[in-house]
Amino acid sequence: AVHRATALFLNMAKVTASALGNHEIDTTQSDFVDTVKHMDADVLSVNFHKSEQWEEREDNLEEYGRDFIDKELKGSKIVEVKGEKIGLIGASPIDMFDRLTHPNYHKDCYVDNLDETIEEIQEEINELKEKGINKIVLLSHLGHKRDKIVAENTDGIDVIVGGHTHELVQGIKEGENLFYSKSGEPVVETEAGRDGSYFGLLNLTFDKDGVITKAQNNLGETRLFHKNMINQYLFDEIMGKPERVGVIKDAPAPPKILIEENPHANFVCDAMKYMTNSDVAVWNNSGIRNFFHQGVIDSRDIKDVAPFFDRIAVADISEKAIVDLLKKSTETSYASHGYKPGLVAVSGLEYGVDEKAGKVTYINFVDKHGNKTPIDIENPREDKTYRLVTDEYMMAAGADYPLLKPLEECLEVYPYDKDVMTCQYIKELNKPITINQTGRINFE
């Protein structure tokens, strides 16, 4: 039902084409194929392929929902806008299989490296040019740094609509999102942040040869707009009516980057900690994909906040493992161009971050009464443990995180995810909720 609703939304939004990114295949191949068959838009990728020997693999094809996913993809397409023909090309992330929720579903697939991808993009450009197309847009899920490399090492791209690294690119700045191709023609790159928090309108003027002469890159905040009730009604028809959970009295705007404290993620941590009677809760900032809106909130709204299904897990975790988690995730986030995986949201802890050094400076354990106990981050104890709750992704060493505990060694693994527990928490509180959970990360 979720896949059918996704296809319906894209059709109603009149989306013409989309690049194949990692989250498009966080499902089985057969589910992806079913979704695409209900879409009016084409899914584009020049660099995603299926192994020629995929049917000969020993893996159980039925178990992982294998299908002819490559047959549903195109390298490019031509659209007509106001009498002008425009070529669209798609590219998938080079690190696709490090970013999948279920990589086992796609063991028979691969993505070419960057050099090969650049060659494939150029070949697609050349074919479009032979058809008389001189305005070309690359729908890219490569990431901001790689977009620049592609722009400067190809000829014929005019615009790159970027994704993957969740950059918020405002305006047009040379060297930041205005690049020059091998022949010196301008290439404009635009990217509207993460999780649909922003949307963009790129206005362009071309000369007779299809070269950009003027460009205006405008972004708007989605939170300033109300839900489309027609869409909501149709989604309810497909997915069933969600349960009304409670009321959000007040909530702040979501953070723009992953190295800001996220009160929405902290609130989910509070829910997990309270409902499992744990000492500490942690959650990765990059896992939150929406935010709590003021007003009536239902179960689907909360699912939108935590859309990736990962069961909740509880385990006794050593003080040293917790310190290592916060240190490594902080250092990795500040060293990453897109600040991934992001600072860890917490409940039952507070910690300091030196923004210049990108390092944790202190950690306090905060008990249920608000009492703070410093943790020696230089010599954390391995014999001291805390009852910690998180999801299975973080518990069992999801991308970029150190292992906390194998799932088979956890005290409990719940058969549902954070959205269910957050709904339970809000209903148990039984009052209008104010989201203001901040001050758990202090920046120095």
Side-chain angles (χ1 to χ4, degrees):
V2 173
H3 305 138
R4 297 288 173 87
T6 300
L8 174 66
F9 170 76
L10 293 172
N11 293 343
M12 293 177 69
K14 300 188 184 303
V15 172
T16 301
S18 174
L20 178 71
N22 47 302
H23 291 307
E24 278 78 4
I25 56 171
D26 271 337
T27 182
T28 65
Q29 293 183 26
S30 56
D31 280 346
F32 172 81
V33 169
D34 179 67
T35 303
V36 173
K37 287 185 182 300
H38 287 85
M39 288 167 47
D40 296 334
D42 289 315
V43 182
L44 308 180
S45 178
V46 295
N47 58 342
F48 181 93
H49 308 285
K50 201 174 183 73
S51 169
E52 292 180 1
Q53 289 79 37
W54 73 279
E55 290 183 304
E56 299 174 11
R57 292 184 59 89
E58 295 179 0
D59 304 62
N60 186 323
L61 304 185
E62 294 297 326
E63 179 183 353
Y64 294 129
R66 301 286 168 82
D67 208 330
F68 293 95
I69 186 172
D70 54 326
K71 305 296 184 187
E72 304 301 326
L73 305 177
K74 297 180 180 179
S76 65
K77 72 176 295 185
I78 298 171
V79 297
E80 190 168 318
V81 180
K82 296 181 179 179
E84 295 289 332
K85 290 185 177 179
I86 299 172
L88 305 177
I89 301 171
S92 298
I94 306 301
D95 58 348
M96 170 84 83
F97 300 100
D98 295 327
R99 298 293 169 186
L100 294 181
T101 303
H102 302 289
N104 280 346
Y105 294 168
H106 308 284
K107 282 185 175 180
D108 54 340
C109 302
Y110 65 96
V111 175
D112 291 324
N113 64 35
L114 185 58
D115 288 340
E116 292 167 334
T117 297
I118 289 172
E119 290 180 10
E120 288 165 318
I121 291 172
Q122 188 63 63
E123 288 172 6
E124 210 72 37
I125 292 170
N126 295 343
E127 289 184 17
L128 289 169
K129 284 185 172 181
E130 288 176 5
K131 296 175 182 177
I133 307 300
N134 63 5
K135 301 174 187 67
I136 295 175
V137 177
L138 174 66
L139 305 178
S140 168
H141 211 86
L142 295 167
H144 190 74
K145 281 187 175 179
R146 293 189 177 111
D147 285 344
K148 180 180 179 181
I149 295 171
V150 170
E152 294 176 341
N153 288 276
T154 55
D155 252 331
I157 296 173
D158 298 293
V159 175
I160 299 177
V161 179
H164 196 46
T165 47
H166 304 155
E167 306 286 334
L168 184 63
V169 181
Q170 296 179 306
I172 295 177
K173 299 175 184 176
E174 190 164 346
E176 183 176 330
N177 68 324
L178 172 58
F179 313 121
Y180 295 94
S181 69
K182 289 171 68 175
S183 61
E185 293 184 0
V187 182
V188 175
E189 193 253 12
T190 183
E191 193 170 346
R194 63 194 301 266
D195 310 331
S197 296
Y198 289 81
F199 62 94
L201 177 64
L202 183 64
N203 294 318
L204 300 167
T205 301
F206 294 87
D207 67 14
K208 61 181 179 61
D209 297 316
V211 178
I212 294 174
T213 57
K214 292 181 183 179
Q216 185 184 55
N217 179 32
N218 303 305
L219 291 175
E221 287 193 68
T222 309
R223 70 184 182 92
L224 301 178
F225 295 79
H226 295 290
K227 283 184 178 180
N228 183 302
M229 299 311 295
I230 297 174
N231 287 7
Q232 189 68 37
Y233 173 79
L234 293 172
F235 293 165
D236 290 349
E237 285 288 300
I238 295 173
M239 301 171 64
K241 200 167 182 64
E243 176 190 8
R244 173 174 166 155
V245 175
V247 175
I248 302 299
K249 181 180 178 181
D250 193 27
K256 295 179 180 179
I257 54 176
L258 292 172
I259 52 171
E260 294 181 64
E261 185 173 21
N262 191 328
H264 304 267
N266 286 347
F267 179 77
V268 175
C269 286
D270 285 351
M272 289 192 290
K273 183 166 78 77
Y274 178 85
M275 297 303 296
T276 61
N277 194 31
S278 296
D279 302 313
V280 171
V282 296
W283 187 28
N284 60 308
N285 233 355
S286 59
I288 185 167
R289 292 306 172 98
N290 209 319
F291 55 96
F292 293 92
H293 299 259
Q294 188 175 0
V296 174
I297 189 168
D298 61 41
S299 56
R300 190 167 299 139
D301 295 325
I302 296 174
K303 181 62 180 175
D304 288 344
V305 173
F308 307 120
F309 180 74
D310 294 294
R311 296 171 298 170
I312 291 173
V314 178
D316 288 329
I317 303 298
S318 73
E319 186 175 270
K320 183 178 185 306
I322 294 173
V323 171
D324 288 347
L325 170 71
L326 295 179
K327 281 185 172 181
K328 184 177 188 300
S329 61
T330 300
E331 291 170 9
T332 302
S333 298
Y334 275 88
S336 164
H337 184 69
Y339 302 121
K340 289 185 176 181
L343 297 180
V344 173
V346 295
S347 183
L349 294 171
E350 69 171 18
Y351 62 103
V353 173
D354 181 336
E355 293 188 275
K356 289 187 177 179
K359 294 183 180 295
V360 170
T361 56
Y362 74 86
I363 302 174
N364 290 330
F365 168 65
V366 184
D367 68 19
K368 293 177 174 65
H369 305 290
N371 301 312
K372 300 178 183 180
T373 304
I375 294 175
D376 184 352
I377 63 172
E378 300 305 324
N379 299 285
R381 293 170 56 182
E382 294 194 56
D383 61 340
K384 168 70 174 174
T385 63
Y386 299 83
R387 182 182 171 95
L388 181 145
V389 58
T390 185
D391 60 27
E392 59 183 326
Y393 181 80
M394 284 195 71
M395 185 69 79
D400 304 314
Y401 292 103
L403 173 71
L404 290 174
K405 186 83 71 174
L407 291 180
E408 60 271 18
E409 297 179 19
C410 288
L411 298 173
E412 189 163 9
V413 178
Y414 291 78
Y416 47 80
D417 199 3
K418 300 168 288 296
D419 60 314
V420 174
M421 196 161 276
T422 302
C423 288
Q424 294 171 346
Y425 179 59
I426 291 174
K427 287 191 287 187
E428 186 155 328
L429 291 177
N430 194 30
K431 63 181 181 181
I433 305 295
T434 297
I435 306 291
N436 62 359
Q437 284 74 358
T438 56
R440 300 176 188 184
I441 306 176
N442 297 297
F443 298 96
E444 304 169 11

